[in-house]
């Protein structure tokens, strides 16, 4: 089969099929996040980003290249969520700049478009890190440039480009030690490969049902739970284990092992070194995978989950989160119009207690979200429009929201948007505390940027899988105390882990410790921790406040 050109109708099908393929595998991609936290969301963020663009593409009645390019670019830019979603939107933006000027897509056009996509994405990231989605995209672009010199056949061209992307993806654990230690490939890179595979299958006539894309994108929520939805999960058991090898696998043995897994399932990840092989596969018969693995060595950390049951639970939780977020936004939108002022504030927060703290410090508009639901670029833009101020300060309060906030600032045409790159809730609180009304927006921005660097943050949650990070052995359901840069404490006792984390953050220069306890924590338990931290530290001020945040039992700041 040889294809030398693609018209607008075929390109639209390819894009929609790529989106659908990602949507169907987003939970698997979520599982690839390095930190085993219960809010791993790379797959969800990338899926919601591309679905926003897919909604616009699918609404086109008689698409041409220019209209498809505009829909891909504008839809993904405004729908971008999380760092992976923003980078994906920039890839589409660069891609669209090239194809929007053409009447049909040929190998030279596609090669040029891929080069432009990577160039645009790299420019959008201040400090690009290798071993990520950017590295996978660049590997694909380099191969595209090579193949453009060798063939005019789009089928051969795309097949080789995707194979190269898969090869680079497999190498990401060697580029980022944290990936290798966790036994996973880069989740954003995997998401990009999944999109490419879906688009390629559509070119070959192997299309998924894309009818549900518009409905999913419209609400940003998961699809309604139906028998059809459940049927989308072709293989019902997520199976993971580690093989402790009797002997290192040869290249041929590793290929044969992967081929066997492909014959019984999909969503396969195999990361091997001379001593162990980390395996992940979705299959209907986990026993077959285990039997094959035992021919190479002994097994440890075996984990088998029924994905159909988990899928239902996650759909319900996603729908509840979106409904709560929309209700909060509607309540704020119904408030009386404020008098125009010089400077206003938007803060991203999850938890009614934390939101009240921000409002009490002068935040004009709250975006419900954060760790468990990253708001999109459009969510932030809509919030900016609702704040009656000439200068609007945005406090993302999460490192995975900063890029989306920056993208919103670039798209804002009327108001001057200042993004204070707060990576945690405590940093956002510190930024607001240091606002001085008598100073200019620029003076306040400089002051806030300086002050947020003086805040240490610790967060306590639980592990969703076994792994090793920074030489700390973590078991599923362990409590984890996560600092600004690494995991500070791990254990089975919540209070002990929280105290160990906090103690490691406090030093001789510390003056204030703030404890924000979550929705599943009793006030008495938080007070007990505060009392123990206070013992022997007369100069230290320890505060306890209700945060009400989900997933994270405690947020603790030290200044």
């Amino acid at each position: 089969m040889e294809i030398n050109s693609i018209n607008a109708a075929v390109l639209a099908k390819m894009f929609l099929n790529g989106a659908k393929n990602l949507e169907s595998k987003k939970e698997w991609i979520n599982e690839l996040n390095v930190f085993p936290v219960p809010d791993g969301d790379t797959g969800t963020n990338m899926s919601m980003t591309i679905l926003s663009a897919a909604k616009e593409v699918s609404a086109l009645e008689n698409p041409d290249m220019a209209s498809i390019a505009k829909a891909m670019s504008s839809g993904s830019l405004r729908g971008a969520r999380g760092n992976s979603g923003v980078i994906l939107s920039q890839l589409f933006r660069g891609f669209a700049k090239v194809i929007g000027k053409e009447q049909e897509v040929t190998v030279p056009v596609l090669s040029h478009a891929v080069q432009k996509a990577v160039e645009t994405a790299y420019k959008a990231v201040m400090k690009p890190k290798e071993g990520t989605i950017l590295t996978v995209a660049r590997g694909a672009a380099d191969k595209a440039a090579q193949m453009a010199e060798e063939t005019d056949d789009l089928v051969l061209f795309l097949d080789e480009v995707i194979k190269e992307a898969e090869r680079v993806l497999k190498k990401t654990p060697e580029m980022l030690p944290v990936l290798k230690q966790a036994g996973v490939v880069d989740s954003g890179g995997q998401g990009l490969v999944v999109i490419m595979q879906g688009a390629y299958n559509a070119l070959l006539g192997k299309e998924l049902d894309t009818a549900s894309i518009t409905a999913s994108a419209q609400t940003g929520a998961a699809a309604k739970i139906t028998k059809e939805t459940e049927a989308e999960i072709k293989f019902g058991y997520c199976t993971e284990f580690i093989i402790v090898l009797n002997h290192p696998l040869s290249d041929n043995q590793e290929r044969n092992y992967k081929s066997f897994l492909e014959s019984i399932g999909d969503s396969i990840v195999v990361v091997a070194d001379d001593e162990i092989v980390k395996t992940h596969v979705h299959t209907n018969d986990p026993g077959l995978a285990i039997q094959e693995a035992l021919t190479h060595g002994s097994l440890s950390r075996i984990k088998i989950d029924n994905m159909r049951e988990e899928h239902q639970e996650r759909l319900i939780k996603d729908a509840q989160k979106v409904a709560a977020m929309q209700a909060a936004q509607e309540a704020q939108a119904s408030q009386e119009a404020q008098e125009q002022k010089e400077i206003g504030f938007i803060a991203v927060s999850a938890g009614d207690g934390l939101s009240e703290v921000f409002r009490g410090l002068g935040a004009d508009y709250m975006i419900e979200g954060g760790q468990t639901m990253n708001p999109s670029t459009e969510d932030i833009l809509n919030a900016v429009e609702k704040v009656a101020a000439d200068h609007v300060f945005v406090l993302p309060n999460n490192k995975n929201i900063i890029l989306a906030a920056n993208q919103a600032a670039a798209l804002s045409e009327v108001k001057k948007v200042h993004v204070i790159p707060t990576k945690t809730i405590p940093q956002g609180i510190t930024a607001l505390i240091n606002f001085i009304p008598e100073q200019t927006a620029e003076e306040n921005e400089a002051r806030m940027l300086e002050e947020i660097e003086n805040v240490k943050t610790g967060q306590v949650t639980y592990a969703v899988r076994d792994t090793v990070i920074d030489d700390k052995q973590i078991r599923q359901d362990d409590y984890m105390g996560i600092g600004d840069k690494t995991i500070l404490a791990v254990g089975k006792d919540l209070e002990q882990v929280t105290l160990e984390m906090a103690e490691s953050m406090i030093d001789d220069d510390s003056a204030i410790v703030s404890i924000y306890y979550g929705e599943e924590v009793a006030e008495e338990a938080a007070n007990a921790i505060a009392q123990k931290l206070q013992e022997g530290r007369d100069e230290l001020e320890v505060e306890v406040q209700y945060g009400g945040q989900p997933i994270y039992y405690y947020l603790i700041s030290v200044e």
Side-chain angles (χ1 to χ4, degrees):
M1 181 180 183
E2 184 173 334
I3 299 174
N4 299 116
S5 66
I6 297 170
N7 61 26
V10 173
L11 182 65
K13 287 181 180 179
M14 292 174 67
F15 181 75
L16 293 175
N17 208 56
K20 183 61 179 177
N21 201 37
L22 179 62
E23 168 70 7
S24 69
K25 296 179 179 177
K26 66 181 180 182
E27 295 298 348
W28 164 53
I29 294 168
N30 283 342
E31 293 170 9
L32 296 176
N33 281 276
V34 172
F35 275 2
V37 292
D39 56 4
D41 52 10
T42 300
T44 299
N45 284 338
M46 293 183 73
S47 176
M48 294 180 80
T49 298
I50 196 172
L51 285 178
S52 178
K55 172 188 170 185
E56 295 196 20
V57 171
S58 61
L60 299 173
E61 293 185 4
N62 296 300
D64 56 20
M65 290 296 181
S67 62
I68 291 174
K70 182 179 179 181
M72 288 172 57
S73 180
S74 64
S76 61
L77 282 171
R78 290 181 172 272
R81 296 175 187 266
N83 294 340
S84 55
V86 172
I87 293 171
L88 182 63
S89 74
Q90 290 296 323
L91 288 169
F92 288 143
R93 182 186 180 199
F95 186 85
K97 285 179 182 177
V98 174
I99 65 163
K101 299 175 183 177
E102 305 293 336
Q103 299 302 313
E104 62 179 11
V105 175
T106 60
V107 164
V109 169
L110 192 52
S111 177
H112 183 203
V114 173
Q115 311 296 324
K116 191 66 175 178
V118 173
E119 176 188 326
T120 303
Y122 264 90
K123 285 181 179 178
V125 180
M126 189 173 295
K127 295 180 181 179
K129 184 181 290 186
E130 297 307 325
T132 66
I133 181 176
L134 289 171
T135 310
V136 176
R138 191 181 64 198
D142 290 344
K143 189 66 175 181
Q146 176 191 329
M147 292 303 298
E149 300 292 327
E150 299 178 10
T151 183
D152 292 324
D153 179 10
L154 283 160
V155 174
L156 176 60
F157 172 88
L158 283 172
D159 183 48
E160 291 298 321
V161 168
I162 293 171
K163 284 179 180 176
E164 178 64 14
E166 291 170 338
R167 188 187 71 79
V168 174
L169 176 66
K170 182 183 174 182
K171 290 173 60 179
T172 55
E174 303 302 323
M175 302 176 199
L176 281 177
V178 68
L179 293 176
K180 186 170 186 178
Q181 197 172 38
V184 295
V185 294
D186 178 66
S187 53
Q190 183 67 73
L192 181 61
V193 168
V194 165
I195 293 169
M196 295 168 68
Q197 290 168 336
Y200 179 62
N201 285 338
L203 181 65
L204 300 178
K206 305 173 185 176
E207 291 179 62
L208 295 168
D209 177 16
T210 58
S212 63
I213 282 182
T214 302
S216 296
Q218 223 133 34
T219 61
K224 182 181 178 182
I225 302 171
T226 63
K227 291 181 179 179
E228 290 76 13
T229 303
E230 288 300 307
E232 289 179 2
I233 301 178
K234 183 178 179 182
F235 298 102
Y237 295 95
C238 175
T239 306
E240 297 179 68
F241 50 78
I242 289 177
I243 309 173
V244 181
L245 294 170
N246 295 329
H247 305 284
L249 292 184
S250 67
D251 289 343
N252 190 50
Q253 285 177 315
E254 186 176 341
R255 279 194 299 270
N256 289 340
Y257 178 56
K258 288 181 180 177
S259 295
F260 176 81
L261 294 177
E262 288 170 353
S263 72
I264 64 168
D266 66 5
S267 298
I268 294 158
V269 178
V270 173
V271 181
D273 61 22
D274 290 343
E275 297 177 355
I276 66 170
V277 178
K278 177 72 178 287
T279 300
H280 175 288
V281 60
H282 291 177
T283 179
N284 286 327
D285 195 337
L288 291 177
I290 289 172
Q291 288 173 24
E292 178 67 18
L294 285 169
T295 64
H296 299 292
S298 59
L299 303 187
S300 69
R301 301 188 201 170
I302 300 173
K303 182 170 175 278
I304 301 172
D305 293 323
N306 186 323
M307 293 193 298
R308 293 187 176 96
E309 291 178 358
E310 290 188 347
H311 185 57
Q312 282 199 339
E313 293 174 3
R314 283 171 174 161
L315 288 173
I316 292 169
K317 288 180 180 178
D318 284 349
Q320 289 173 337
K321 289 174 188 174
V322 172
M325 183 173 66
Q326 290 175 338
Q329 290 173 342
E330 289 169 5
Q332 292 187 83
S334 66
Q335 295 175 348
E336 293 183 5
Q338 301 170 334
E339 187 176 329
Q340 189 76 12
K341 56 184 180 178
E342 179 68 16
I343 299 174
F345 289 93
I346 295 168
V348 180
S349 173
D352 52 348
L354 293 174
S355 295
E356 282 304 311
V357 171
F358 278 111
R359 290 190 184 97
L361 292 172
D364 299 279
Y365 193 95
M366 302 301 304
I367 299 177
E368 188 73 19
Q371 288 292 94
T372 52
M373 176 63 76
N374 297 154
S376 69
T377 297
E378 187 164 34
D379 291 334
I380 298 170
L381 272 174
N382 289 340
V384 168
E385 292 175 4
K386 290 179 173 66
V387 176
D390 299 322
H391 293 263
V392 179
F393 281 65
V394 178
L395 306 174
N397 301 331
N398 186 296
K399 64 181 181 181
N400 208 31
I401 301 174
I402 295 172
L403 281 182
N406 287 336
Q407 194 153 276
L411 292 173
S412 180
E413 298 177 351
V414 178
K415 300 175 183 179
K416 173 63 176 175
V417 178
H418 305 256
V419 178
I420 306 299
T422 51
K423 297 178 181 178
T424 64
I425 290 287
Q427 282 190 342
I429 291 171
T430 295
L432 269 177
I433 288 174
N434 283 279
F435 170 62
I436 300 177
E438 293 76 23
Q439 292 188 346
T440 65
E442 290 71 23
E443 288 171 332
N444 272 296
E445 182 174 8
R447 180 182 176 85
M448 291 176 181
L449 289 173
E450 181 180 350
E451 291 297 330
I452 63 175
E453 294 301 319
N454 298 323
V455 185
K456 300 176 187 176
T457 302
Q459 306 175 80
V460 181
T461 185
Y462 62 92
V464 295
R465 68 170 187 270
D466 294 353
T467 189
V468 178
I469 296 178
D470 295 333
D471 298 324
K472 286 185 171 64
Q473 181 69 56
I474 301 168
R475 300 292 186 187
Q476 185 177 350
D477 297 325
D478 279 355
Y479 295 109
M480 299 183 298
I482 305 172
D484 290 315
K485 296 181 179 179
T486 187
I487 293 180
L488 301 175
V490 177
K492 300 293 184 184
D493 183 272
L494 178 58
E495 181 182 275
Q496 183 179 338
V497 167
T498 304
L499 285 169
E500 183 180 340
M501 179 192 74
E503 293 282 0
S504 70
M505 295 163 59
I506 298 171
D507 56 30
D508 293 340
D509 296 325
S510 302
I512 301 173
V513 175
S514 299
I515 302 172
Y516 303 93
Y517 60 95
E519 63 181 1
E520 297 183 26
V521 176
E523 183 178 3
E524 294 77 13
N527 286 331
I529 288 173
Q531 185 176 351
K532 290 181 180 180
L533 290 176
Q534 188 74 73
E535 290 174 3
R537 296 186 173 105
D538 295 336
E539 302 300 319
L540 189 67
E541 182 180 347
V542 182
E543 304 173 340
V544 175
Q545 294 193 56
Y546 171 65
Q549 68 273 8
I551 305 297
Y552 288 78
Y553 302 104
Y554 292 100
L555 299 180
I556 296 181
S557 68
V558 177
E559 300 178 65

